[in-house]
Amino acid sequence: MFAVQHLIETLIRDALASAVVSGELTLAEMPVVTAERPREVAHGDWATNVAMRAAKAAGMPPRQIAAIIAGRISGHPDIAAVEIAGPGFINIRLSDAALQRVVAEARTQGAAFGRTETGAGRTLQVEFVSANPVGPMHVGHGRWAALGDSLARILEHVGFRVEREFYINDQGVQMDIFAESVAARYLELTGREVTFPAEGYRGAYITDIAREIRAEEGERWADTPAEERESYFKERAYAQVLEHLKHVLSGMGVTFDVWFSERTLHAPGPDGGPSEIERAIARLREAGYIFEHEGATWFRSTDFGDDKDRVLTKADGSYTYFAADVAYHWNKLEERRFDIVIDIWGADHHGYVKRMEAACAALGHEGQLHVIIGQLVNLFRNGEVVRMSKRTGEMVTFEDLLDEVGPDAARYFFLRRSTDQALDFDIALAKEQSSDNPVYYVQYAHARICSILRKAAGMPEAEDVRMLVSALVPADADLALLGADAELALFRRLGEFAEVVEIAAAQYAPHKLTRYAEELAAAFHQFYTVCRVVDPDAPELTAARLAVVDATRIVLELVLGLLGVHAPQRM
RNA sequence: GCGCCCUUAGCUCAGUGGAUAGAGCGUCCGGCUACGAACCGGGAGGCCGCAGGUUCGAAUCCUGCAGGGCGCACCA
């Protein structure tokens, strides 16, 4: 809850209560009181529909109720006007003084501006990307990387203690196939006759890895038993791919706190005891959700709304992927005790959501897992669909895309659409229109601000304007001088920041922030066009407007920071 | 067949119970002898996929239908 919103809701509640006491109003029950932002600026800064909600309980037309409330809330110094409109809306316009306040608040709070206590120190884990370590990431992974990292930043800003995690599927048949593929390429390079594995990975990177092994270690693996060779190649190629993943991700500014290996779930406990998987299944068994059928061990996920029950241990005694995932979530929730766990998966895994939620609920953690399903990225090049398959080899990788469009544009573009909207990404278009890309519009506003501040300080060569502002702009600048429409409009935008972050956090929706960033940049550009900032003939107005410029700089830097996009001081 | 997501301006998309449905791009018209024109102002452009229902009020919630995407393994 934010100060102004809280104030208005309180005023309305008090007005209703006093009207009842005085007998002007009779209420069978108290209506829900909410103040909201009207879509139209012409409708004021805040509006409430409480009169319409109360109509039935009061037995009185909404506009009449609105008149009673309006008469009781006008007069507060922060409220400039109260109007009744349409079917019974009460529109409230804030005073200039109430709007101007945000400038000083942003400057005083700096990077802490817009922080809230919503998370209240609760621990939260975001697990994302989690690409199989058997090849390069596709463009969809880039989208999850941008999404997960930005979400983590946003949730930190509203008070959660956040950890970023990458789950490595380093166990299972795909790893075997991966090793066989590298081995086959290696043997080819040494001139041996080999049949490439039918399901093998055919990408050129496999050959690159094989060539590197041959260059460093010669042909000494050519005549060893296949098992020995593949076992060695698996570990070596795996480590190499993992390093590659880290490298590409950090190229977009994404780093993880924990890289969690699936193998640790299969491994025996510290004292040779049961593995995490065995312990997790034992827990489900105790809780009564396990049964045996046709030689397999099943989890009765239908008890929690899943379509069918799921196998954990196959008839041949091996575990399903799901069994490891159950253990993994047991580890997150039971051993590491995260209050909230967020998994970001591609849309091609949505059929998996129910059973995972069922497992968490069966383990006693219902409602703590939130799965975000991101729709996929359709990659185009010159209008032609680029097929994304690891096996065909021909693909544009996430790394290729980063190289072509750069980390800021890639990130911003990935985040600009809501997660449940499929994303069409045409590489040629993104490059061609780079100067029209909205990320530049926002960054330009920031660079422009920094230029003004350098100019005002008489230090056009200054490296970092943040070092200049405290000396340049007095803390007690007279904000009451700022009443132009463009100024008040800018203050309104600045004042929305905390609310937007809160909504983005609550809905797991970073795209709310890209939109806000563009609106804030637009409000600044409009201000700049009509309000001369540096004016030697008006030193007090100059000081006040420099405060506005600095406050805008702070918020732009913050919002770009939450998106993981740079806020350049020059471009 | 079943499940999830999507369908809003020429294009790409915001908008999950409120008022005259918005933005960017594109298009047309206009604005630099002043702090960054990578900018700003204005115009044209909409049966919100279709049909019912709930509500004082529906792009938004419910039901059905159509179209598109993705899934439906003792694979990972």
Side-chain angles (χ1 to χ4, degrees), chain A residues 186-479:
Chain A
Y186 174 85
L187 292 174
E188 280 172 16
L189 290 169
T190 65
R192 267 67 173 182
E193 284 281 323
V194 282
T195 46
F196 196 77
E199 297 295 309
Y201 298 106
R202 295 177 181 278
Y205 67 96
I206 296 285
T207 311
D208 293 341
I209 294 171
R211 190 172 290 123
E212 205 176 300
I213 295 175
R214 180 162 176 265
E216 286 176 24
E217 309 196 27
E219 303 193 356
R220 67 191 190 90
W221 294 101
D223 298 310
T224 54
E227 205 174 303
E228 206 174 300
R229 175 171 55 238
E230 283 164 18
S231 163
Y232 173 76
F233 279 26
K234 183 195 282 187
E235 295 315 307
R236 185 180 158 135
Y238 161 49
Q240 201 162 331
V241 171
L242 207 55
E243 276 316 302
H244 173 76
L245 298 181
K246 290 183 186 182
H247 172 74
V248 174
L249 287 163
S250 73
M252 202 173 69
V254 177
T255 56
F256 290 87
D257 300 300
V258 177
W259 292 73
F260 192 100
S261 163
E262 180 187 349
R263 289 176 181 176
T264 62
L265 300 168
H266 295 261
D271 46 6
S275 67
E276 295 250 39
I277 295 178
E278 289 165 325
R279 289 156 69 198
I281 292 175
R283 169 64 68 89
L284 289 176
R285 199 184 301 277
E286 282 167 31
Y289 298 115
I290 295 292
F291 65 96
E292 313 292 330
H293 178 66
E294 294 181 347
T297 302
W298 296 69
F299 165 49
R300 193 178 289 106
S301 56
T302 47
D303 282 3
F304 300 91
D306 196 6
D307 298 341
K308 51 184 103 167
D309 295 324
R310 306 292 173 177
V311 171
L312 295 171
T313 310
K314 297 182 240 176
D316 69 3
S318 63
Y319 295 117
T320 59
Y321 176 86
F322 178 55
D325 234 357
V326 171
Y328 180 39
H329 286 78
W330 183 75
N331 176 282
K332 292 182 183 195
L333 291 163
E334 192 76 22
E335 304 209 318
R336 288 191 276 166
R337 302 218 149 268
F338 286 108
D339 294 312
I340 298 176
V341 163
I342 296 174
D343 290 3
I344 298 177
W345 300 345
D348 53 342
H349 288 86
H350 73 258
Y352 204 77
V353 177
K354 276 262 175 62
R355 78 190 72 166
M356 204 64 250
E357 287 175 345
C360 291
L363 291 167
H365 296 279
E366 187 165 13
Q368 285 175 258
L369 170 69
H370 301 269
V371 181
I372 298 174
I373 292 301
Q375 295 299 310
L376 300 173
V377 177
N378 302 311
L379 196 58
F380 293 80
R381 188 187 280 283
N382 299 315
E384 296 226 353
V385 178
V386 180
R387 293 199 60 79
M388 291 193 281
S389 162
K390 281 185 183 174
R391 310 221 167 167
T392 62
E394 289 297 317
M395 66 182 284
V396 175
T397 65
F398 171 37
E399 184 182 24
D400 297 334
L401 185 76
L402 264 187
D403 288 345
E404 291 203 47
V405 307
D408 284 344
R411 247 183 123 127
Y412 197 92
F413 205 98
F414 282 139
L415 292 175
R416 203 158 174 253
R417 283 156 179 73
S418 71
T419 51
D420 46 27
Q421 192 76 241
L423 174 64
D424 287 347
F425 200 132
D426 191 313
I427 297 172
L429 201 67
K431 282 169 69 182
E432 248 173 53
Q433 298 192 335
S434 63
S435 65
D436 292 330
N437 192 315
V439 68
Y440 293 104
Y441 179 78
V442 178
Q443 288 181 320
Y444 178 70
H446 186 265
R448 201 179 209 187
I449 283 171
C450 293
S451 174
I452 297 168
L453 293 171
R454 284 191 300 265
K455 174 110 181 173
M459 299 182 70
E461 303 303 320
E463 287 274 317
D464 188 346
V465 300
R466 290 174 296 190
M467 303 296 140
L468 307 177
V469 290
S470 59
L472 178 66
V473 192
D476 60 350
D478 185 7
L479 302 175

Side-chain angles (χ1 to χ4, degrees), chain A residues 176-190:
Chain A
D176 298 333
I177 295 169
F178 175 52
E180 288 166 25
S181 304
V182 177
R185 292 301 186 211
Y186 174 85
L187 292 174
E188 280 172 16
L189 290 169
T190 65

Side-chain angles (χ1 to χ4, degrees), chain A residues 49-56 59-69 84-90:
Chain A
N49 60 1
V50 69
M52 287 173 285
R53 283 173 178 267
K56 206 169 273 180
M60 195 183 275
R63 287 190 66 104
Q64 202 175 327
I65 300 170
I68 294 170
I69 299 169
I84 299 160
F89 289 100
I90 301 171

